[in-house]
Structure formats: C-alpha cells, structure tokens
Amino acid sequence: MPLGRSRAWTTRLAFGAAAIGNLFTAVSDEDAAEAVGAAWEAGIRSFDTAPHYGLGLSERRLGAALRGRPRGQFTVSTKVGRLLEPVPAASAGDPAGEFAVPATHRRLWDFSADGVRRSLDASLERLGLDHVDVVHLHDPDEHENDALRHAYPALERLRAEGVVKAIGIGMNQSAMPARFVRDTDVDVVLLAGRYTLLDQSALSDLLPEAARRGVPVVAAGVFNSGLLAAPGPGATYDYAAAPPGLLARALRLQETCERHGVPLRAAAARFPLGHPAVAGVLIGLRNAREVADAVDQSHRPVPGALWQDLLAEGLLPAGTPLPDGN
C-alpha cells in the first residue's frame, strides 16, 4: 500500500526488527536471519528497525539478511533521534537497557540537523544500503521543539535529495504525531500501542486528523507488549506488569474471541485495520516460528459478529470503526 503521496509503500503485515536486536532476550544470528527469510517467503516486504534496537544490532542483522535480495522489492524504515556513542573499555557483561547486548555504546538524544544526518549515515552503513525508504523521528516526547525546528526540516531536505523516500514519526503516544500531521508534511506515522483492542486513545486526535489529511498510519504494538497475545499471570502491558483491571479486560476480550473460534492475537492484529487511516500492522518477530504464527493469524478469518459482540459487551467504545468480517 502506498504511504501517502510518497514513493514509499508498506505491506499490510510488516516486520518489526526490534526483537532481532535482542529485545529483552538474546536472539542468535541464525534465528534472526531465519526470521527475515521466513518473512520474505511469506510475502512480507516491509521491515522496520532503528539504531536504538540493540545498539545497532538490529540494523546490522536486518541488512545482512536482506543483502542480495532485489532492492526494489522491499522497503526499510529506520529512525533518527538517538546517536550511538562508543563507550571506552565497556564491559561485555554490562546491560544496554532492555536489550540483551553488551553496552559498547551509549545513546545520546540528538534532534539537530547534524544529528539527523550523522544518525542516518551510520544507519545506512550498518544496513549496507545506499538509501532507506522511510525515516521516522523516534520518540521525540521531550524534544518536540527540536524535532519540529531542526530534525524535521533536515529530513525534508534529505527527502528532496532522494536519500529518503518518506518522512515519518514513530511514537508511543498519539497527541504529538497528530500535531506533526497538522503542522508538517510527514508522509506516515508509526503508532505504537495507542490503537489496540485495549487502548483506542488515538481515536481522539491522531486517526481522524490522519484520515482527513491522507496520512497513513502503521499500527505497531498491537499486543500492548504481550497482554493481548497471552493474557494471564505475568503478562505485560507497555513493558511493565499488567494492572489487574487491564488483565481482567484482556481476559474478557479473550473469552469473547474464543466464543467465535478466533484467537485473541488474531483479533488484536486485525482490529487496527478497521480504521481507514491505518495502512498496515507491524509486529515484532524474533524467529521463523513467530513469523509463521503472525502470518497465520493475519490470514485467519474473523467474523463480523465478533466485532459486534465486542461493541455490545462494552469492550469497544460505540462508534469504533470495525474491520470487515472475513
């Protein structure tokens, strides 16, 4: 699907490469390569990464796995806003935040024009590419003015030069992306966790604005970091222990889905596509088994009666756009 007026596009199911950057647990080089290969065989052609993911490991693994494949047949998105600075004499056992990699670098917030170009140059080197299709401003929550005044204009120049095809913003909130949709010429929004079966907050700002202006949204975090994939003891919501109220709601969602013979994760992956502004869903994948499951769930029929029951039971707000039953 085209991303707005840009030359970039996305497949309906896109590959989130944070996991192959060792998000939370280590992934072998072999599993990472097999995950990308399985995605390719399944028809997935859109891949999302970032310097933040495993201190560049995700970009290196993704670039290696895509090497030799026809460049015009896939799209890659990466992100700017964090520079990676080497740490002298780093200990191999040091943690690197939520990524299970040695802390060989530290992340420095930088939304300056120079920082954007330096970040992108480094990403292209790690990926082994001469251009990327989409560059997202990555989590500028505390850097809104710098992102608007410096980083975004720098990306506009890079887009004009053909170094990038499309400009996006990737965040875990919907209010700031809505402002970028109103006040800039961004091509796409990567929205994590704010339009899911548990959280429809983007309906109040971003999604109607994006629909009016023809800016597509790619929905990420559709399982809210795990709760909508497997609700139960120990499940996480936004990367923390799920509050009891949300866990109870997720279990109710699961019960309704099961009455219709649909796994909760299939409904969770399908739900965002009911909104006309949503162009695709991005799911984080770490091995070939997870790829196979994601593809299977994305193709699984979800009857319209399921969505109607979720409305009737108050599990979705009235007026929520619903996917077609299929």
Side-chain angles (χ1 to χ4, degrees), residues 84-92 94 102-106:
L84 301 181
E85 179 182 82
V87 176
S91 166
D94 287 345
T104 56
H105 292 71
R106 62 174 178 167

Side-chain angles (χ1 to χ4, degrees), residues 37-243:
W40 185 273
E41 292 301 316
I44 296 172
R45 293 292 186 271
S46 297
F47 302 85
D48 176 76
T49 184
H52 173 57
Y53 302 156
L55 298 175
L57 178 62
S58 172
E59 290 182 319
R60 291 192 296 273
R61 283 176 163 172
L62 180 62
L66 291 173
R67 203 153 296 141
R69 303 187 189 274
R71 182 63 184 92
Q73 294 184 20
F74 64 88
T75 67
V76 171
S77 56
T78 192
K79 305 179 181 73
V80 295
R82 293 173 174 91
L83 290 175
L84 301 181
E85 179 182 82
V87 176
S91 166
D94 287 345
E98 65 268 46
F99 293 89
V101 296
T104 56
H105 292 71
R106 62 174 178 167
R107 304 171 179 90
L108 298 177
W109 290 104
D110 193 329
F111 286 94
S112 68
D114 177 65
V116 164
R117 286 186 173 265
R118 289 168 57 199
S119 179
L120 183 55
D121 285 346
S123 288
L124 290 173
E125 183 175 352
R126 286 189 290 266
L127 286 162
L129 299 175
D130 61 2
H131 73 279
V132 289
D133 301 276
V134 185
V135 176
H136 293 290
L137 298 164
H138 197 187
D139 294 337
D141 301 73
E142 305 300 324
H143 308 272
E144 184 173 6
N145 288 336
D146 283 343
L148 276 167
R149 295 174 55 200
H150 304 297
Y152 172 76
L155 288 177
E156 272 201 329
R157 290 190 288 272
L158 290 168
R159 182 174 60 185
E161 294 168 7
V163 179
V164 303
K165 293 181 179 179
I167 300 170
I169 180 168
M171 300 191 73
N172 295 283
Q173 59 152 293
S174 59
M176 195 182 298
R179 179 183 178 187
F180 273 80
V181 169
R182 285 193 305 270
D183 298 344
T184 73
D185 190 29
V186 292
D187 300 292
V188 60
V189 174
L190 178 61
L191 179 69
R194 303 288 75 86
Y195 193 56
T196 73
L197 283 175
L198 282 172
D199 184 338
Q200 299 88 44
S201 53
L203 282 173
S204 67
D205 43 32
L206 172 62
L207 289 173
E209 196 70 45
R212 278 194 296 271
R213 296 177 182 269
V215 176
V217 174
V218 175
V222 295
F223 303 132
N224 286 119
S225 87
L227 182 54
L228 284 172
T236 56
Y237 178 85
D238 285 0
Y239 306 106

